[in-house]
Structure formats: structure tokens, C-alpha cells
Amino acid sequence: MIPFHDIGGSGPLLHFAHANAYPPGSYRQFLEPLTSQYHVLAVEHRPLWPGSDPAELTRWELIADDLIDFFDQENLRGVIGVGHSLGGVATLMAAVKRPELFQKLVLVEPVFLEPRWLEAAKTATREEMMQFPLVQSAVHRRDQWDNVADVFARYRPKKVFAGLSDEVLWDFVRAGTRPCDPTDPSQGVTLAYPKLWEAQIYATLPQVWEPLPQLTQPVLGIRAAHSDTLSKKGWQLWQDTLPHGTYIEMLDTGHLLPLEKPQELADLILSHLATRP
């Protein structure tokens, strides 16, 4: 059984697919407002499954296939699919493979890298991909602490989390860690989302420009104005490739915008879905 979170709410089904290294619980302040209008579910991607092996992933389509399997497992059809980063790409790929599963898509900061980078990656060796700075950062990430308070104290001054409130950062810390030994709390905590899984995903770039024009569902695309993931060229290419979509850029925020401005993003999505039945 593929694990998932039932966030609650009633009404039409809305599924959220999370980013690389950010478990569903990290998004509590973004997802809970959506329950005012929708029944919200959030799958746990494969890296969060006990015993999963990063070597299983050679293409991001595997995460999309897991998402399809989850929808079949729960007999879900005609769902509103919302995805952030990795989750946006997985939702796109699943919607192309099985269009009946989704009635609408909301893709938040999806990893739509410019074609020139993806072409270069096709000829790179595994060793070369593993040397990318983002991959190396994940490989060498600290993954054990005495307790969650130590994790919070280490994360709070980091630039990447500067836009997160203390409450959201605590959600991420609690969702992103687990006991090293569930029977012995004195052994401290470790990352719930293994760093080698995070690195494997970063080292395996998604080929998105072929499936993108095959989408048939209405799409809302959202970019952060200070994104370090979805470049302005990639953003424009997305709009050119899928001209029937709706596109919104959120100011004063970065790639982690669901965590930086959770209520504002939730309100934007609710408003869009209400006006475009």
C-alpha cells in the first residue's frame, strides 16, 4: 500500500504532490486552508517508503507511476492535481499518461529546466551528474541530531529557509525527521527523507518538454519571482508550449513559495479554482 496523508475537508478531491526532500507534513499551513473547499489528500513519494532504494530511480517517470498506482489503489478519478517542484513534474507526467485521473492541474514551481540543460545532461555520465553542486550538497548533508530542537536551531539561520516562519519551519523539521531508533529516544533523530534519495533525484533530470504539450486538462502555472529553479526562459517556454494555460507569477518569494507564503498561495489557488469551474 502506498502511504498517504488525508488532510481533511469535504467537497471535490484535491491531491497534493510534494517536492524533493519536503514531506507532506511540511506543507500543513498551505494545505489546511484548501480543506475549506476540497477534500485534500497528499501521497508520500517513494523516498519516504521504508526500505526503498535510491537506485530504483533512473527517470522521474517512476514517481509519476507511483502516483498513478496510488490513484488506482484509492480508486480516484477526476481529481484536481496540485504539485510543487518534483510533485509538479510527477503530476504532469501522470496526467499525460492517464488523463482520466485529473480534471485540472495546478503546477507550482515545477522543475521545467531549459532544454539546453536537459540536452547536456543526456550526454553526461553518472559520475559527472553526481558532481553537480546541488547533488553534492545533498550527499554531504548532515542527517543525525540529538533531538528536533537541534535540527530547528541548525536550520533557522540558513538562507534557504529565511522566508519561512518559525511555525512553518517547525512543521518541516517535525515532518522531515524520525527517530534513529523508535525504541530508544536517546539515539536522536535522523532525516525521514534520506539524503541519498534527495541526491539521486537531483542527479536525474526530468525530461518535461515532450509530455507538456500533450496535456489536455486546464492548467494553472505558478512561478516565484525569485525562483532559482524555473528560469524566466523556462517560464516563457512553458507558456509558449501550452498557450491555453493560466499563468501567475508571485512576487517577493522563491522556490519554496508554498512554505514561504502558504496562506497567500492557498487563497490564490482557491480563487482560481472557484472562478474556473
Side-chain angles (χ1 to χ4, degrees), residues 96-125:
V96 169
K97 278 191 169 185
R98 294 280 301 279
E100 79 280 7
L101 300 181
F102 300 91
Q103 58 166 296
K104 301 175 186 176
L105 303 185
V106 179
L107 307 182
V108 181
E109 276 286 301
V111 186
F112 288 179
L113 301 178
E114 294 177 40
R116 61 192 178 106
W117 297 114
L118 298 180
E119 286 301 317
K122 286 181 179 180
T123 60
T125 66

Side-chain angles (χ1 to χ4, degrees), residues 6-269:
D6 189 333
I7 312 300
S10 59
L13 280 169
L14 183 151
H15 176 268
F16 176 73
H18 62 85
N20 187 23
Y22 291 85
S26 310
Y27 297 85
R28 180 179 64 87
Q29 289 200 54
F30 163 61
L31 295 177
E32 286 185 351
L34 299 178
T35 64
S36 65
Q37 300 294 326
Y38 299 97
H39 181 186
V40 180
L41 306 177
V43 76
E44 290 189 356
H45 295 320
R46 183 175 291 248
L48 291 166
W49 304 356
S52 62
D53 182 357
E56 299 165 349
L57 185 136
T58 58
R59 301 166 73 232
W60 282 29
E61 282 83 354
L62 178 66
I63 305 298
D65 290 341
D66 290 340
L67 187 54
I68 290 171
D69 290 344
F70 165 69
F71 274 51
D72 285 341
Q73 168 188 299
E74 301 299 319
N75 195 28
L76 306 179
R77 299 291 184 274
V79 174
I80 296 169
V82 181
H84 174 222
S85 194
L86 162 70
V89 174
T91 299
L92 155 70
M93 291 176 170
V96 169
K97 278 191 169 185
R98 294 280 301 279
E100 79 280 7
L101 300 181
F102 300 91
Q103 58 166 296
K104 301 175 186 176
L105 303 185
V106 179
L107 307 182
V108 181
E109 276 286 301
V111 186
F112 288 179
L113 301 178
E114 294 177 40
R116 61 192 178 106
W117 297 114
L118 298 180
E119 286 301 317
K122 286 181 179 180
T123 60
T125 66
R126 169 68 180 168
E127 291 72 22
E128 289 171 334
M129 294 298 294
M130 289 302 295
Q131 294 306 310
F132 283 6
L134 197 60
V135 177
Q136 284 295 300
S137 177
V139 168
H140 296 292
R141 192 178 311 289
R142 179 176 174 178
D143 62 353
Q144 288 198 6
W145 300 265
D146 290 339
N147 51 59
V148 292
D150 287 347
V151 184
F152 182 89
R154 181 174 178 84
Y155 284 179
R156 182 64 287 179
K158 288 185 175 292
K159 183 179 179 180
V160 66
F161 301 129
L164 277 61
S165 69
D166 282 357
E167 189 173 359
V168 171
L169 184 58
W170 267 115
D171 285 341
F172 171 56
V173 168
R174 293 187 180 105
T177 57
R178 59 174 177 80
C180 293
D181 181 351
T183 66
D184 185 1
S186 69
Q187 297 301 309
V189 297
T190 187
L191 292 175
Y193 199 108
K195 63 183 183 179
L196 294 183
W197 256 114
E198 181 184 0
Q200 179 76 359
I201 289 172
Y202 285 143
T204 311
L205 301 184
Q207 300 293 329
V208 297
W209 299 108
E210 181 178 345
L212 185 60
Q214 300 176 47
L215 277 178
T216 57
Q217 302 87 347
V219 177
L220 169 62
I222 301 174
R223 178 183 186 266
H226 302 304
S227 177
D228 59 3
T229 302
L230 181 56
S231 70
K232 289 185 178 180
K233 288 184 178 179
W235 177 235
Q236 187 59 55
L237 181 58
W238 180 5
Q239 295 175 66
D240 294 342
T241 304
L242 206 67
H244 64 267
T246 301
Y247 299 95
I248 299 174
E249 188 171 69
M250 287 187 64
L251 302 178
D252 302 319
T253 190
H255 182 63
L256 295 181
L257 68 91
L259 308 182
E260 294 177 4
K261 294 191 175 183
Q263 184 68 56
E264 185 176 331
L265 178 61
D267 288 345
L268 185 157
I269 292 171

